[in-house]
Amino acid sequence: MITRERRASARRYLMCPPEHFAVTYAINPWMAPDEPTDAARARRQWTRLRQVYLELGHDVQTIEPVPGLPDMVFAANGGTVVGGKVLGARFRYPQRAGEAGAYLDWFAGRGYREIRVPEHVHEGEGDVLFAGEVLLAGYGFRSDQAVAAELAGLFGLPVVSLRLIDPRFYHLDTALCVLDEDTAMYYPAAFDDAGRAALAARFTELIEVKDEDAEVLGLNAVSDGRHVVLPVQAATLAGQLFQRGFIPVGVDMSELLKGGGGAKCCTLELR
Ligand code: ARG
C-alpha cells in the first residue's frame, strides 16, 4: 500500500484529573455501579495519557475537578471550541448537569470572549468532531440533532449530522475518529445508511474498524495528524493505522472505560 506522509501538528488540550472518578450511576451501557472502581489506577492511567501528549509536543491545560461530579474527567463533553469560540455543554442527564458551569467558568477565566450557552442538549466534542472546516455532529443518544443549527451559527461552518444507532457507541467519538481532514476511521454498524454515505462522501480515506477493536472503544482515539493515541487493547486497529503511515501510540485506559470513556473522552481539543 502506498501512503502519503502523515504530518503532525501541535495541539492544545484541556484535561480534568480523575480525582473524584467513580461509577455511581449508569447513563450508558458501559457503566455498572455495582462493580468497584480504583481511583488510584484511574489517576495513573490519566497521568500517563497526559504525559504521552506532552511527549508528543502538545500543550495540556487542566481544569480543577469538582467533588460530586464523577464524570468530569471526560473533558471532551465540556463544550466545543473552534477558532477560540466556545459552545458550552448542556447535558442530557441531571447527574452531569453541574459540569457545564464548571467548564464555562474555566473558559471565561481563560480569556475566551465568545462563549455561548446552547439551547439544545449538546455534549461537546463527545458528539462534535472537526474535519477540516466541516463539523460532524452526532445525535440519537446524547446530543440533540437541533444543536446543529447552533453550531453552524456560532462557528460559521457547515455541519453534517450523523445519527448514532448502537447504544454502546452513544457519543460520536466512540464510533468515529477523524485522523486528518481527509482521513477517518469508523465503526460502520454504529451509523445508519445516510450516515455511512455522508462519511464516504466526506473522507477520501475511510478505515473500517473491526468489532473487537470498536468494543474496546478503539475509536476513542486522538490524532495529531501523524500519531494516534488509542487504547493499547485495540491491537488490530493499531496495525491498520501503522500500514497507512500513522504511528499508533497505545495507552491503557481500562479503569476509565468502566465509565464508558477512553483517551478521547478525557481530552477536549482547544482549537
Ligand atoms: N460516563 C460518561 C457519560 O456517560 C462518559 C462520557 C464519555 N465521553 C465521551 N466523550 N464519549 O456521560
Side-chain angles (χ1 to χ4, degrees):
M1 190 185 312
I2 297 170
T3 56
R4 59 192 180 80
E5 217 210 311
R6 309 293 180 176
R7 277 174 209 273
S9 59
R11 309 293 171 116
R12 169 172 289 200
Y13 299 129
L14 176 61
M15 298 180 72
C16 178
E19 228 49 72
H20 311 292
F21 173 69
V23 178
T24 56
Y25 50 79
I27 56 172
N28 70 55
W30 302 81
M31 300 175 86
D34 295 341
E35 280 169 29
T37 48
D38 181 338
R41 189 163 178 263
R43 178 80 202 198
R44 282 197 300 277
Q45 293 179 347
W46 181 92
T47 303
R48 175 74 196 129
L49 175 64
R50 180 173 173 277
Q51 191 58 34
V52 165
Y53 290 145
L54 295 173
E55 283 166 12
L56 291 173
H58 304 310
D59 177 68
V60 181
Q61 312 269 318
T62 50
I63 179 172
E64 190 68 32
V66 177
L69 297 174
D71 273 335
M72 195 171 164
V73 59
F74 299 117
N77 300 120
T80 296
V81 187
V82 183
K85 297 181 191 175
V86 180
L87 185 65
R90 184 181 291 277
F91 285 90
R92 170 77 56 198
Y93 295 111
Q95 292 94 330
R96 297 196 67 184
E99 295 177 39
Y103 280 96
L104 285 174
D105 289 348
W106 189 88
F107 289 114
R110 294 299 179 293
Y112 288 79
R113 267 171 303 168
E114 242 186 293
I115 303 175
R116 205 165 294 175
V117 176
E119 278 170 36
H120 297 95
V121 175
H122 168 241
E123 297 205 346
E125 294 183 18
D127 271 326
V128 181
L129 298 177
F130 180 79
E133 303 310 314
V134 176
L135 295 177
L136 306 173
Y139 69 97
F141 296 104
R142 304 297 280 271
S143 299
D144 283 344
Q145 187 181 10
V147 85
E150 291 187 76
L151 289 162
L154 178 61
F155 298 118
L157 295 172
V159 177
V160 176
S161 291
L162 300 167
R163 181 193 293 276
L164 297 169
I165 60 168
D166 182 331
R168 293 173 304 163
F169 306 103
Y170 57 98
H171 277 138
L172 185 61
D173 69 359
T174 64
L176 171 71
C177 173
V178 175
L179 297 165
D180 64 39
E181 61 180 56
D182 302 315
T183 316
M185 53 183 184
Y186 81 129
Y187 185 53
F191 296 91
D192 62 11
D193 288 341
R196 283 189 288 266
L199 291 171
R202 176 66 197 84
F203 294 101
T204 49
E205 252 183 285
L206 203 46
I207 303 170
E208 289 193 13
V209 171
K210 306 240 178 307
D211 293 356
E212 60 268 30
D213 288 326
E215 284 160 7
V216 293
L217 286 192
L219 285 161
N220 201 247
V222 177
S223 171
D224 66 9
R226 177 171 171 82
H227 310 96
V228 183
V229 179
L230 81 170
V232 68
Q233 291 82 0
T236 306
L237 179 54
Q240 285 174 281
L241 289 166
F242 185 73
Q243 273 185 354
R244 288 175 187 257
F246 291 98
I247 301 176
V249 182
V251 287
D252 181 13
M253 301 300 286
S254 50
E255 197 57 33
L256 291 146
L257 188 62
K258 295 176 183 172
K264 166 67 174 62
C265 297
C266 292
T267 310
L268 177 64
E269 186 164 352
L270 305 169
R271 287 187 194 81

PDB file of all heavy atoms in Angstrom, residues 183-195:
ATOM      1  N   THR A 183      -9.013  11.918   6.221  1.00  0.00           N
ATOM      2  CA  THR A 183      -8.911  10.520   6.654  1.00  0.00           C
ATOM      3  C   THR A 183      -9.641  10.321   7.973  1.00  0.00           C
ATOM      4  O   THR A 183      -9.469  11.108   8.904  1.00  0.00           O
ATOM      5  CB  THR A 183      -7.422  10.132   6.869  1.00  0.00           C
ATOM      6  OG1 THR A 183      -6.650  10.640   5.784  1.00  0.00           O
ATOM      7  CG2 THR A 183      -7.242   8.632   6.982  1.00  0.00           C
ATOM      8  N   ALA A 184     -10.430   9.264   8.039  1.00  0.00           N
ATOM      9  CA  ALA A 184     -11.109   8.950   9.292  1.00  0.00           C
ATOM     10  C   ALA A 184     -11.181   7.443   9.459  1.00  0.00           C
ATOM     11  O   ALA A 184     -10.990   6.677   8.507  1.00  0.00           O
ATOM     12  CB  ALA A 184     -12.514   9.544   9.297  1.00  0.00           C
ATOM     13  N   MET A 185     -11.433   7.012  10.704  1.00  0.00           N
ATOM     14  CA  MET A 185     -11.715   5.601  10.952  1.00  0.00           C
ATOM     15  C   MET A 185     -13.056   5.538  11.677  1.00  0.00           C
ATOM     16  O   MET A 185     -13.405   6.432  12.442  1.00  0.00           O
ATOM     17  CB  MET A 185     -10.586   4.936  11.736  1.00  0.00           C
ATOM     18  CG  MET A 185     -10.172   5.620  13.016  1.00  0.00           C
ATOM     19  SD  MET A 185      -8.764   4.730  13.742  1.00  0.00           S
ATOM     20  CE  MET A 185      -8.542   5.649  15.266  1.00  0.00           C
ATOM     21  N   TYR A 186     -13.832   4.478  11.398  1.00  0.00           N
ATOM     22  CA  TYR A 186     -15.188   4.429  11.955  1.00  0.00           C
ATOM     23  C   TYR A 186     -15.679   2.996  12.087  1.00  0.00           C
ATOM     24  O   TYR A 186     -15.105   2.063  11.511  1.00  0.00           O
ATOM     25  CB  TYR A 186     -16.131   5.284  11.121  1.00  0.00           C
ATOM     26  CG  TYR A 186     -16.672   4.643   9.856  1.00  0.00           C
ATOM     27  CD1 TYR A 186     -18.040   4.636   9.588  1.00  0.00           C
ATOM     28  CD2 TYR A 186     -15.827   4.046   8.919  1.00  0.00           C
ATOM     29  CE1 TYR A 186     -18.556   4.058   8.444  1.00  0.00           C
ATOM     30  CE2 TYR A 186     -16.338   3.467   7.775  1.00  0.00           C
ATOM     31  CZ  TYR A 186     -17.702   3.478   7.540  1.00  0.00           C
ATOM     32  OH  TYR A 186     -18.203   2.897   6.407  1.00  0.00           O
ATOM     33  N   TYR A 187     -16.750   2.866  12.865  1.00  0.00           N
ATOM     34  CA  TYR A 187     -17.396   1.569  13.043  1.00  0.00           C
ATOM     35  C   TYR A 187     -18.719   1.621  12.285  1.00  0.00           C
ATOM     36  O   TYR A 187     -19.683   2.242  12.746  1.00  0.00           O
ATOM     37  CB  TYR A 187     -17.641   1.316  14.534  1.00  0.00           C
ATOM     38  CG  TYR A 187     -18.203  -0.045  14.840  1.00  0.00           C
ATOM     39  CD1 TYR A 187     -17.587  -1.201  14.377  1.00  0.00           C
ATOM     40  CD2 TYR A 187     -19.355  -0.186  15.613  1.00  0.00           C
ATOM     41  CE1 TYR A 187     -18.099  -2.452  14.665  1.00  0.00           C
ATOM     42  CE2 TYR A 187     -19.872  -1.427  15.911  1.00  0.00           C
ATOM     43  CZ  TYR A 187     -19.241  -2.568  15.430  1.00  0.00           C
ATOM     44  OH  TYR A 187     -19.758  -3.807  15.714  1.00  0.00           O
ATOM     45  N   PRO A 188     -18.779   0.999  11.098  1.00  0.00           N
ATOM     46  CA  PRO A 188     -19.944   1.184  10.230  1.00  0.00           C
ATOM     47  C   PRO A 188     -21.277   0.869  10.917  1.00  0.00           C
ATOM     48  O   PRO A 188     -22.266   1.576  10.707  1.00  0.00           O
ATOM     49  CB  PRO A 188     -19.670   0.217   9.070  1.00  0.00           C
ATOM     50  CG  PRO A 188     -18.182   0.084   9.022  1.00  0.00           C
ATOM     51  CD  PRO A 188     -17.722   0.176  10.448  1.00  0.00           C
ATOM     52  N   ALA A 189     -21.317  -0.170  11.762  1.00  0.00           N
ATOM     53  CA  ALA A 189     -22.588  -0.595  12.355  1.00  0.00           C
ATOM     54  C   ALA A 189     -23.160   0.418  13.350  1.00  0.00           C
ATOM     55  O   ALA A 189     -24.315   0.293  13.761  1.00  0.00           O
ATOM     56  CB  ALA A 189     -22.407  -1.956  13.046  1.00  0.00           C
ATOM     57  N   ALA A 190     -22.379   1.405  13.709  1.00  0.00           N
ATOM     58  CA  ALA A 190     -22.878   2.425  14.644  1.00  0.00           C
ATOM     59  C   ALA A 190     -23.689   3.508  13.939  1.00  0.00           C
ATOM     60  O   ALA A 190     -24.302   4.349  14.596  1.00  0.00           O
ATOM     61  CB  ALA A 190     -21.704   3.055  15.393  1.00  0.00           C
ATOM     62  N   PHE A 191     -23.697   3.496  12.579  1.00  0.00           N
ATOM     63  CA  PHE A 191     -24.355   4.552  11.802  1.00  0.00           C
ATOM     64  C   PHE A 191     -25.465   3.970  10.933  1.00  0.00           C
ATOM     65  O   PHE A 191     -25.448   2.782  10.607  1.00  0.00           O
ATOM     66  CB  PHE A 191     -23.318   5.241  10.895  1.00  0.00           C
ATOM     67  CG  PHE A 191     -22.240   5.951  11.665  1.00  0.00           C
ATOM     68  CD1 PHE A 191     -21.058   5.291  12.004  1.00  0.00           C
ATOM     69  CD2 PHE A 191     -22.410   7.264  12.083  1.00  0.00           C
ATOM     70  CE1 PHE A 191     -20.068   5.927  12.739  1.00  0.00           C
ATOM     71  CE2 PHE A 191     -21.421   7.911  12.812  1.00  0.00           C
ATOM     72  CZ  PHE A 191     -20.256   7.240  13.151  1.00  0.00           C
ATOM     73  N   ASP A 192     -26.410   4.808  10.534  1.00  0.00           N
ATOM     74  CA  ASP A 192     -27.429   4.379   9.571  1.00  0.00           C
ATOM     75  C   ASP A 192     -26.875   4.562   8.149  1.00  0.00           C
ATOM     76  O   ASP A 192     -25.749   5.044   7.958  1.00  0.00           O
ATOM     77  CB  ASP A 192     -28.763   5.120   9.811  1.00  0.00           C
ATOM     78  CG  ASP A 192     -28.649   6.635   9.634  1.00  0.00           C
ATOM     79  OD1 ASP A 192     -27.608   7.118   9.131  1.00  0.00           O
ATOM     80  OD2 ASP A 192     -29.615   7.326  10.008  1.00  0.00           O
ATOM     81  N   ASP A 193     -27.674   4.170   7.144  1.00  0.00           N
ATOM     82  CA  ASP A 193     -27.197   4.244   5.753  1.00  0.00           C
ATOM     83  C   ASP A 193     -26.820   5.665   5.360  1.00  0.00           C
ATOM     84  O   ASP A 193     -25.809   5.894   4.694  1.00  0.00           O
ATOM     85  CB  ASP A 193     -28.283   3.727   4.789  1.00  0.00           C
ATOM     86  CG  ASP A 193     -28.445   2.219   4.891  1.00  0.00           C
ATOM     87  OD1 ASP A 193     -27.515   1.548   5.394  1.00  0.00           O
ATOM     88  OD2 ASP A 193     -29.512   1.714   4.469  1.00  0.00           O
ATOM     89  N   ALA A 194     -27.653   6.616   5.778  1.00  0.00           N
ATOM     90  CA  ALA A 194     -27.381   8.014   5.416  1.00  0.00           C
ATOM     91  C   ALA A 194     -26.061   8.480   6.025  1.00  0.00           C
ATOM     92  O   ALA A 194     -25.276   9.189   5.381  1.00  0.00           O
ATOM     93  CB  ALA A 194     -28.530   8.904   5.890  1.00  0.00           C
ATOM     94  N   GLY A 195     -25.795   8.083   7.259  1.00  0.00           N
ATOM     95  CA  GLY A 195     -24.557   8.464   7.932  1.00  0.00           C
ATOM     96  C   GLY A 195     -23.342   7.855   7.243  1.00  0.00           C
ATOM     97  O   GLY A 195     -22.334   8.534   7.016  1.00  0.00           O
TER      98      GLY A 195
END
